[in-house]
Amino acid sequence: SQTIHQWPATLVQPVGSPLSLECTVEGTSNPNLYWYRQAAGRGLQLLFYSVGIGQISSEVPQNLSASRPQDRQFILSSKKLLLSDSGFYLCAWRRLLGVTGELFFGEGSRLTVL
Amino acid sequence: TQLLEQSPQFLSIQEGENLTVYCNSSSVFSSLQWYRQEPGEGPVLLVTVVTGGEVKKLKRLTFQFGDARKDSSLHITAAQTGDTGLYLCAGARGGGATNKLIFGTGTLLAVQP
C-alpha cells in the first residue's frame, strides 16, 4: 500500500532563518506531487506541483522554492523565512485517472515564524 | 485569486438537523471532489463527481455537480457529531499530467450534541 510521510511535524523558526520540509512517498512510482499551504480553518493554497524528477511548477510568487531530487521525494525550502510564511504545510501525491484522481495527504507540518 | 468560493464559511448546528454547503466558481472544472479534514490532519476524499448534473449519495451525504460543471453542493441529512470537521471542495483543471486540484475556501462545520 502507498504511504506518504512529511517532516518535521512542527517547527518554530525565527524570521530570516532557512527552511526545509521533506516529503516522501512509498509504494508507488512516478506520482504527481504537491505542496499546499493552509491558514487555520480555511482552504488549501497550491504552492508547487511536480510531474517528475526535477520538474517543478510554481503557482504563486513567493519566498519559497521546491525541489524533487528523486522520484518519490519532494522538498519545500526557503533561504530566509518571513512572518507571512507561517502556516500548515501539506504534501500530497496523486495518481491521475483521466481527469480525476484522489489526493493523498501527509500528516502536515505546522510552521510558526517568530 | 480564489477560484472556488464556499458558503457558508462557518456552520454550527444541532445533531439531527439538515444542512447544505455550496461551492461556487465562474470557471469550468473537468471534475470536482469533496474532502473532509479533521484538526491537525490532511484532508480525506469523500467523493468525486465528473459529469454535469451528476448526483452521488454516500449514506447521509448527497453531492451534486452543477449542470455547467462550475458549482457543486453537499447536503447532509440528520447531522451527527461525527460529521464535525472542515469540508473542502476541490476542482480539477488542466489536461494530462498537469491536471491539478484547486481547493475552495472551506466550510467549518460544528455539530452540537
Side-chain angles (χ1 to χ4, degrees), chain A residues 23-86:
Chain A
C23 173
T24 60
V25 181
E26 298 176 0
T28 187
S29 59
N30 197 31
N32 278 20
L33 296 172
Y34 305 83
W35 277 110
Y36 286 90
R37 178 169 57 201
Q38 184 177 32
R42 302 293 285 163
L44 280 65
Q45 179 187 33
L46 179 60
L47 302 176
F48 301 95
Y49 72 95
S50 171
V51 301
I53 296 174
Q55 299 179 62
I56 307 294
S57 295
S58 175
E59 287 297 297
V60 294
Q62 58 199 313
N63 185 44
L64 303 169
S65 62
S67 62
R68 185 170 177 176
Q70 300 179 49
D71 181 45
R72 289 171 288 179
Q73 183 184 24
F74 205 22
I75 299 172
L76 184 69
S77 304
S78 174
K79 292 182 179 178
K80 289 185 177 181
L81 284 168
L82 306 173
L83 287 174
S84 57
D85 292 324
S86 293

Side-chain angles (χ1 to χ4, degrees), chain B:
Chain B
T1 302
Q2 187 65 49
L3 295 177
L4 278 167
E5 294 288 339
Q6 288 183 234
S7 60
Q9 185 177 345
F10 302 103
L11 189 56
S12 180
I13 61 171
Q14 295 296 124
E15 202 168 24
E17 293 183 12
N18 302 333
L19 67 118
T20 302
V21 177
Y22 299 93
C23 173
N24 295 299
S25 175
S26 57
S27 302
V28 175
F29 294 97
S30 53
S31 66
L32 195 134
Q33 298 179 328
W34 283 91
Y35 289 78
R36 179 170 165 271
Q37 183 181 20
E38 303 216 11
E41 299 180 4
V44 176
L45 180 68
L46 296 174
V47 76
T48 300
V49 285
V50 179
T51 306
E54 182 177 0
V55 177
K56 279 192 175 179
K57 291 191 175 183
L58 189 66
K59 296 183 180 178
R60 294 176 293 101
L61 279 60
T62 301
F63 305 86
Q64 183 165 8
F65 201 11
D67 290 341
R69 305 207 317 275
K70 293 182 179 181
D71 53 80
S72 180
S73 64
L74 158 60
H75 182 78
I76 301 179
T77 304
Q80 300 176 356
T81 54
D83 295 326
T84 294
L86 179 66
Y87 288 82
L88 297 159
C89 63
R93 303 193 74 192
T98 61
N99 183 282
K100 54 185 183 283
L101 284 177
I102 307 298
F103 279 81
T105 48
T107 296
L108 193 56
L109 172 64
V111 182
Q112 311 295 336

